[in-house]
Amino acid sequence: MNWKNRLRNWPNGVWFMGVTLWSLFILYALFKPASEIPEVPLIIPHLDKAVHFTLFAVEGFLLVALFKGPLLRFDARGKWGWFLLFMFLVICSAGSEYLQEHYTLDRSGDLFDAVADLLGGIIGAICATFFFTTRD
């Protein structure tokens, strides 16, 4: 059995733990005081958007890994699963920026960060779908 098949067959408890730990890491990263974040010269413009994209891409991948199977399919039976996943990602991305804006002292919410979060989550979910889809 190769590594891809082993990863595909991990029990849902392992994926649930991954989603939980990664979500806690996202909360920590997004709500850490700005004064504690090291100053990095921005050689790459909008590097923070890439960080937001990556954080939520991993989250989207892990969510699909957790709910893989009949819930998330590319047919009529799986449309509600995809809709719920999309709505969850919308709520998480918009909610994290809202909370940053209104409940932190030195952080601010940004619409483009929310868009980067959402796109990252969607791309991560699509990548996971192709990863977990087996060809028979």
Side-chain angles (χ1 to χ4, degrees), residues 21-41:
L21 292 175
W22 191 256
S23 298
L24 291 173
F25 175 73
I26 288 175
L27 288 174
Y28 172 76
L30 295 181
F31 297 108
K32 184 176 183 175
S35 59
E36 295 180 17
I37 298 174
E39 279 292 319
V40 177

Side-chain angles (χ1 to χ4, degrees), residues 67-118:
F67 296 111
K68 64 188 178 291
L71 181 62
L72 297 173
R73 298 168 51 129
F74 282 125
D75 62 6
R77 289 185 3 199
K79 66 182 176 184
W80 288 110
W82 281 105
F83 175 75
L84 292 174
L85 177 65
F86 177 75
M87 292 310 298
F88 180 78
L89 291 171
V90 167
I91 290 168
C92 287
S93 60
S96 67
E97 295 305 316
Y98 176 83
L99 292 173
Q100 274 186 338
E101 180 68 34
H102 295 287
Y103 294 101
T104 60
L105 297 175
D106 58 352
R107 301 291 298 262
S108 61
D110 183 6
L111 176 65
F112 295 111
D113 285 348
V115 170
D117 295 344
L118 181 60

